[in-house]
Amino acid sequence: IGLIICTVVTLMRYVPQGGLYIFGGAFIAMGALMPLVEFLVHLTFDMNPHAFWSPYPLICLVLVGGLLIYLAINRNARETMERKLFI
C-alpha cells in the first residue's frame, strides 16, 4: 500500500497532466491488492475460510479506476462529467 501511495505522489509531482491516468491506475492497483490482503489475513489469524470479502472492493476499485482511465482517454466524456459534477 505504501509503495502505491509513494508512486502516486511521485507521478503527480512529475507528471501533473496525467492525474486521471495516475489515479485510475492507483485504484486498479489497490483493487488488485485486496485478494492478497485477504489471503494474508486468513494465513496470519487463521480465520473462518467462508469469510470471502475481497471481491467486493476488487470489483468496485477496478470499475472506478477503469472509469477514470476512460475519462482520461475520452475528452467529450471528461468535459461532460466536469460540467455535470463541478459547476
Side-chain angles (χ1 to χ4, degrees):
I1 294 174
L3 183 64
I4 294 171
I5 293 172
C6 199
T7 304
V8 168
V9 169
T10 304
L11 285 173
M12 287 302 294
R13 170 92 172 138
Y14 293 110
V15 188
Q17 300 298 329
L20 289 174
Y21 290 109
I22 295 167
F23 281 107
F27 273 98
I28 292 172
M30 291 296 283
L33 187 65
M34 289 299 132
L36 177 65
V37 169
E38 182 184 20
F39 172 73
L40 291 175
V41 165
H42 285 294
L43 188 68
T44 303
F45 300 112
D46 196 28
M47 293 178 59
N48 183 5
H50 299 292
F52 190 61
W53 56 266
S54 67
Y56 303 113
L58 170 70
I59 291 169
C60 292
L61 289 171
V62 168
L63 285 175
V64 169
L67 175 69
L68 289 175
I69 291 174
Y70 172 74
L71 290 175
I73 293 170
N74 190 342
R75 184 176 185 166
N76 291 332
R78 181 176 62 238
E79 290 173 353
T80 302
M81 292 299 284
E82 286 175 354
R83 277 196 312 268
K84 288 188 181 220
L85 297 176
F86 296 113
I87 293 180

